[in-house]
Amino acid sequence: MKKILFPLAVLIAGTGVGGGAALATRAILGPSHGKADAHETSVPDLTFVKAEKIVAPLVFGDGRLAGYVSFDVELQVSVDDGALVAARLPLLLHAINLRTYRTPLAAGPDGMLPDIGALRKVVMTAAPEAFGPGIVRRAAITRAEPS
């Protein structure tokens, strides 16, 4: 009988101590607000605006031309800004062209592989110039191939 009562008493005592600790923590820190709920209410509806067939030079780190890359990018923006971004895509292409010839984008032994991370960085640094700060949330390179 003692062999059964002792583990049962330990289980009950552990539950009491754990529950008391949880109540004390809640009393000290206050009620928690779910991060997912707060995040979902503050994020506006987002959409993607596609910019197709952008051609950029593949440049080595030393400035030599390795070839060209053709890539597509999709820009994540709020639904309210979608029309503005679509209308100003030529300004984005201009800003990208001003940066790509001096940015090392060539990767691989022969330089014919585009550095996707560098392409994305070029687009994200060009976006505020074309659309204003904070309009483009993310840039996704959806296709990149040497041309």
Side-chain angles (χ1 to χ4, degrees):
M1 185 76 167
K2 283 185 176 181
K3 289 183 178 182
I4 295 175
L5 289 179
F6 182 71
L8 186 61
V10 170
L11 179 65
I12 292 171
T15 303
V17 170
L23 288 175
T25 302
R26 183 173 179 163
I28 292 171
L29 298 178
S32 66
H33 301 290
K35 287 184 180 178
D37 295 338
H39 182 67
E40 288 174 8
T41 58
S42 65
V43 174
D45 291 334
L46 300 175
T47 187
F48 283 94
V49 176
K50 189 171 190 172
E52 295 180 350
K53 193 72 171 177
I54 302 171
V55 178
L58 286 173
V59 179
F60 285 110
D62 62 1
R64 290 180 299 126
L65 181 66
Y68 291 90
V69 63
S70 173
F71 67 99
D72 295 344
V73 65
E74 294 198 28
L75 306 171
Q76 186 181 39
V77 299
S78 70
V79 171
D80 298 335
D81 294 329
L84 167 83
V85 170
R88 292 188 177 178
L89 278 177
L91 294 175
L92 176 69
L93 299 178
H94 172 71
I96 289 171
N97 282 335
L98 290 177
R99 288 167 175 77
T100 54
Y101 76 92
R102 60 184 170 199
T103 304
L105 297 175
D110 61 351
M112 290 306 294
L113 294 175
D115 183 351
I116 302 296
L119 276 175
R120 185 182 172 283
K121 186 176 178 183
V122 165
V123 172
M124 289 304 292
T125 56
E129 182 182 317
F131 311 120
I135 300 291
V136 176
R137 296 176 184 249
R138 289 185 189 159
I141 307 296
T142 57
R143 184 189 61 83
E145 60 188 30
S147 54

